[in-house]
Amino acid sequence: MQRHNLVRTILLLLMMVFMTSISYSQKGVPLSSKSKKAIKYYENATRFYDARNNLLCIEELHKAVDEDPEFIEAYFLMAAVYNDLRKKEDAIVAYQKAIAIKEDFYPGALFALGNLQLSIGRYEDAGINYQKYLELDQGSPVNLKAAKKALKIIDFAMYQLAHPVPFNLINMGSNVNSENDEYLPAITADEQTLVITVCRQRDDHTIGQGNKLEEDFYISHKVNGVWSKAENMGPPLNTHGNEGAQCISPDGQNIYFTACNRDDGYGSCDIYYTHKIGNAWTIPVNLGETVNTSKWESQPSISSDGKTLYFTSARDGGKGGMDIWKTILNEEGKWSVPVNLGDSINTIFDEVSPFIHPDNQTLYFSSDGRLGMGGKDIYYSRKNVKGEWGRPVNIGYPINTYADEINLVVNAKGDLAYFSSNKPGGMGRLDLYSFELYPEARPLAVNYMKGKVYDSETNRNLEARFELINLENGEMVMQSKSNALSGEFLVCLPVDKNYALNISKEGYLFYSENFSMEGNHSEMKPFLKDLPLKPIKVGASVVLKNIFFETDQFNLKPESKVELNKLMTFLMQNPRMKIEISGHTDNVGTEKYNLTLSDNRAKSVFDYLIANGVVSTRLTYKGYGWSKPIESNDTESGRANNRRTEFKVVAN
């Protein structure tokens, strides 16, 4: 599928100009020069150009214009060659000299000159030349339309220049950056692990004799607030080919990345997956032909719940050249047929480098299909209550410039962004930088809980299942597992909602936790807690932290259903188990009052379970009032923890 980009028309225009000038001499149409010597140099230059010898071509062209400074075609060809050599300033000068001699000699030159000036941020000069081109009204309909669009881009860019957003790049230092190119940052939610792509010099093992460079993954860990020296991640992630365009899951347990032209691939570039066990990574696996096609798939970004993968693809059925797509992991562990994000995100141009923030509501990406500064700009879009993506917003200047800006990632808290830049003063051509993200462009802040799961009796680390559920609507926010060897876990907790967290493993009582995150926008402290799971045996008990009652009442609040349904599932998985449901209170009020209240609350849970199919002979209930506190009643937090509902195994 053809890519569309205003600036990409430059080469085509320059070649058209060059071919026009060649046709004059071939058809007997006289060139603008009357100097035989100058024409001879010019003809020599065209032969060198056909042979792809740009340096000798330039030498001959300079001889031609030295002989005849009014030689228009020589300047046109000179502009084309300088553009091939990526010397845009020299190409602009060549065009200006040709146009100064005869402005309407080739009207398309004004358009090509405007394109060149726009591509390096010379907005006012570009606007003048686009306007002249439109006034001549001699171009093709496509180019005239492109010139009108370019004027809109210039108006937008000039406004952005006059209204810059706060932006202060901070180099991430010599432990992360080097004389090599460092780019494509990926960071965990706790900001303790950074995975980057490094382009380094090839070695004797590099695949492909024509490859002068090789891309590998490097990793750095934050130790006492300082990033450690980035180290090559080695096999099985890195091979002697190229690996890049990676994302790491917020909990640091999974990496999705891009590799091209592998034996198990389906096309030019495919997306692969690897999982962390202990401190080692599994052999990467191709995501398969549902996600990968014969076309280009790359730049994956995984949601914090681990269920939705966003990526860039040139596959058929898109809106333009490169589009952003998503695929969803189903209950069987298979990825769904990818869905295009649609007109709200994608255009007929290119959309690339998606990054879904851990809030699962804010998407950052790059596009050259919307009003911007020229080239690819960074945009962000927020999901509404219906799950639809809102109108993308340009993140602003000077984050965006006339160059291509891509590969932005934002920390979980939402106040710090990371990307690569080749700004002067770095340690290599491309270095990694961080900067404070201004408030309007920030996502919803995300806190996290971090720790490890272990057996309460043997202290053995456990691989356990995590479920984070929105208490308001019962929707699953996240599902994951702790590390199979280390037991480590990290769970993202977006603010403004209340959550139930359940941790379960076969043969163990489940663990219940409650997080009230509403209004939690200030300085956020992560929840650091190791979780002991109790083996199932008679006498073992669990506090049900997501059973809720109104003050001094015993009617179950609707959000209690999440925990109650979890308890029902647990009983179904253990059909021989019998439990006692117990109610407990603090010491506020009389002993008799609290005993009655706790008994009624325990009975409410009992009645709910019976009404939903649990056999009554498996259940008993009892209220204990304030007789069994687990903390002191001298503090509000202690009293809150003493007001609780538990269940205890009485038979198994």
Side-chain angles (χ1 to χ4, degrees):
M1 190 175 293
Q2 185 180 6
R3 301 187 191 183
H4 303 269
N5 185 321
L6 178 62
V7 177
R8 289 185 189 129
T9 62
I10 296 172
L11 277 176
L12 180 60
L13 250 298
L14 293 169
M15 285 303 298
M16 289 171 60
V17 172
F18 171 56
M19 293 306 296
T20 300
S21 65
I22 292 293
S23 68
Y24 287 149
S25 59
Q26 288 177 338
K27 296 178 180 178
V29 177
L31 294 166
S32 62
S33 176
K34 304 302 181 185
S35 168
K36 292 183 179 179
K37 213 169 185 181
I39 292 173
K40 183 65 176 177
Y41 289 136
Y42 175 75
E43 290 173 345
N44 290 340
T46 61
R47 286 192 291 270
F48 285 129
Y49 188 81
D50 288 340
R52 302 294 186 267
N53 193 331
N54 287 334
L55 295 180
L56 288 179
C57 177
I58 285 291
E59 286 184 15
E60 294 297 306
L61 289 172
H62 277 293
K63 292 176 184 177
V65 297
D66 285 343
E67 286 292 330
D68 183 358
E70 304 290 306
F71 197 167
I72 297 176
E73 294 89 346
Y75 288 118
F76 280 156
L77 180 53
M78 192 180 293
V81 178
Y82 275 133
N83 195 77
D84 284 349
L85 295 172
R86 298 184 180 180
K87 295 183 176 182
K88 292 187 177 182
E89 292 286 0
D90 291 332
I92 288 172
V93 170
Y95 260 127
Q96 288 172 329
K97 289 181 177 179
I99 292 170
I101 297 167
K102 188 173 176 57
E103 188 171 276
D104 61 352
F105 181 85
Y106 180 71
L110 289 165
F111 178 58
L113 176 57
N115 286 343
L116 277 168
Q117 291 166 329
L118 178 59
S119 73
I120 60 171
R122 289 170 56 174
Y123 298 110
E124 291 188 48
D125 292 340
I128 291 171
N129 287 306
Y130 284 129
Q131 193 61 51
K132 288 181 178 179
Y133 175 67
L134 290 171
E135 289 171 359
L136 289 174
D137 196 24
Q138 295 182 28
S140 69
V142 171
N143 289 342
L144 290 170
K145 183 179 179 180
K148 291 176 183 177
K149 179 184 176 182
L151 287 175
K152 292 181 180 179
I153 291 174
I154 290 167
D155 287 343
F156 177 87
M158 296 297 289
Y159 178 86
Q160 295 294 314
L161 289 173
H163 300 84
V165 299
F167 182 58
N168 180 31
L169 277 183
I170 298 175
N171 192 291
M172 294 187 69
S174 58
N175 280 352
V176 173
N177 294 312
S178 70
E179 69 278 3
N180 295 316
D181 282 350
E182 286 83 20
Y183 45 96
L184 295 167
I187 195 163
T188 52
D190 60 1
E191 292 184 79
Q192 299 299 301
T193 302
L194 175 72
V195 178
I196 62 177
T197 300
V198 177
C199 188
R200 59 178 182 80
Q201 294 293 320
R202 62 168 289 151
D203 57 30
D204 293 339
H205 302 288
T206 302
I207 292 177
Q209 294 303 310
N211 294 351
K212 295 181 180 180
L213 300 169
E214 181 178 334
E215 290 177 306
D216 276 346
F217 295 131
Y218 280 64
I219 191 167
S220 175
H221 300 283
K222 191 174 284 186
V223 181
N224 297 323
V226 178
W227 290 109
S228 65
K229 187 70 176 177
E231 297 180 348
N232 191 300
M233 294 185 72
L237 266 73
N238 290 326
T239 67
H240 299 308
N242 290 332
E243 293 80 30
Q246 79 288 352
C247 72
I248 188 168
S249 59
D251 63 2
Q253 299 298 307
N254 305 289
I255 290 179
Y256 296 83
F257 68 95
T258 308
C260 304
N261 302 312
R262 289 191 173 185
D263 292 340
D264 62 346
Y266 294 90
S268 59
C269 293
D270 284 0
I271 298 173
Y272 289 75
Y273 161 81
T274 179
H275 177 66
K276 193 176 184 182
I277 300 179
N279 290 320
W281 295 94
T282 59
I283 296 173
V285 176
N286 189 300
L287 287 193
E289 59 185 344
T290 301
V291 175
N292 294 312
T293 68
S294 60
K295 301 297 178 65
W296 189 83
E297 278 82 30
S298 185
Q299 302 170 344
S301 181
I302 189 69
S303 60
S304 57
D305 61 7
K307 295 191 296 185
T308 305
L309 186 72
Y310 298 84
F311 64 97
T312 305
S313 177
R315 68 206 300 134
D316 295 337
K319 304 291 181 181
M322 298 291 174
D323 277 2
I324 297 174
W325 300 70
K326 71 174 182 180
T327 177
I328 297 173
L329 191 66
N330 63 24
E331 293 296 328
E332 289 75 40
K334 297 184 181 298
W335 293 102
S336 67
V337 174
V339 175
N340 190 286
L341 290 197
D343 295 335
S344 57
I345 299 296
N346 294 313
T347 69
I348 61 172
F349 301 92
D350 283 350
E351 280 69 42
V352 299
S353 300
F355 169 71
I356 184 68
H357 186 264
D359 70 353
N360 209 18
Q361 303 292 313
T362 311
L363 181 72
Y364 297 86
F365 65 97
S366 297
S367 172
D368 58 19
R370 303 176 181 278
L371 279 180
M373 302 294 293
K376 288 184 174 66
D377 276 13
I378 295 170
Y379 298 80
Y380 61 90
S381 174
R382 305 186 196 279
K383 197 183 293 183
N384 63 23
V385 293
K386 296 180 180 180
E388 302 164 335
W389 291 109
R391 183 179 180 86
V393 177
N394 189 294
I395 205 168
Y397 171 85
I399 301 174
N400 287 324
T401 69
Y402 61 84
D404 284 343
E405 275 74 41
I406 55 176
N407 304 317
L408 179 84
V409 301
V410 181
N411 67 346
K413 189 177 177 182
D415 62 348
L416 199 65
Y418 301 82
F419 77 167
S420 57
S421 173
N422 61 354
K423 66 175 294 188
M427 299 173 189
R429 193 173 70 88
L430 277 173
D431 276 3
L432 288 172
Y433 292 81
S434 64
F435 64 94
E436 184 176 347
L437 188 60
Y438 64 96
E440 291 80 4
R442 291 178 184 177
L444 188 69
V446 172
N447 205 340
Y448 63 89
M449 180 180 181
K450 179 181 178 181
K452 72 175 182 178
V453 185
Y454 64 95
D455 186 302
S456 65
E457 296 184 355
T458 67
N459 291 325
R460 180 172 62 90
N461 296 330
L462 298 175
E463 180 184 41
R465 179 184 177 88
F466 283 73
E467 294 178 336
L468 187 69
I469 303 169
N470 184 335
L471 284 170
E472 182 180 353
N473 55 25
E475 289 184 359
M476 188 77 66
V477 177
M478 181 277 300
Q479 289 178 300
S480 69
K481 291 182 178 180
S482 56
N483 188 290
L485 293 182
S486 68
E488 294 175 344
F489 69 90
L490 187 150
V491 178
C492 289
L493 304 167
V495 301
D496 275 347
K497 292 180 176 63
N498 295 327
Y499 302 101
L501 177 66
N502 287 295
I503 302 97
S504 59
K505 182 175 177 61
E506 186 176 354
Y508 291 82
L509 299 181
F510 66 84
Y511 178 90
S512 171
E513 190 61 79
N514 170 261
F515 296 98
S516 180
M517 305 295 293
E518 287 187 335
N520 190 359
H521 294 285
S522 59
E523 184 65 26
M524 293 187 300
K525 294 183 179 179
F527 300 90
L528 305 178
K529 190 173 184 179
D530 293 342
L531 304 178
L533 290 189
K534 299 177 182 179
I536 295 175
K537 64 179 184 180
V538 174
S541 63
V542 168
V543 177
L544 298 169
K545 295 185 179 179
N546 293 292
I547 301 293
F548 306 102
F549 304 93
E550 295 289 355
T551 302
D552 292 333
Q553 296 183 28
F554 53 85
N555 294 324
L556 288 163
K557 296 179 74 172
E559 52 264 45
S560 301
K561 291 183 179 180
V562 169
E563 191 94 312
L564 292 167
N565 292 338
K566 177 65 180 178
L567 179 54
M568 287 192 298
T569 300
F570 177 73
L571 290 171
M572 285 190 293
Q573 292 170 343
N574 298 274
R576 295 190 301 172
M577 182 181 294
K578 295 182 179 180
I579 64 171
E580 177 197 79
I581 302 159
S582 60
H584 304 265
T585 67
D586 57 25
N587 65 352
V588 177
T590 67
E591 181 178 7
K592 180 180 179 181
Y593 173 83
N594 280 296
L595 194 62
T596 301
L597 178 63
S598 63
D599 195 66
N600 284 333
R601 286 182 169 180
K603 185 177 185 301
S604 293
V605 174
F606 174 89
D607 290 342
Y608 182 93
L609 295 174
I610 297 300
N612 285 275
V614 179
V615 179
S616 61
T617 55
R618 299 181 64 190
L619 306 174
T620 59
Y621 69 90
K622 184 176 181 179
Y624 289 89
W626 68 41
S627 65
K628 292 189 175 184
I630 56 176
E631 290 189 24
S632 170
N633 279 305
D634 294 338
T635 65
E636 176 54 41
S637 62
R639 289 191 293 272
N641 288 330
N642 288 332
R643 299 189 296 268
R644 68 196 189 277
T645 304
E646 293 185 0
F647 81 85
K648 180 175 67 175
V649 180
V650 296
N652 188 34

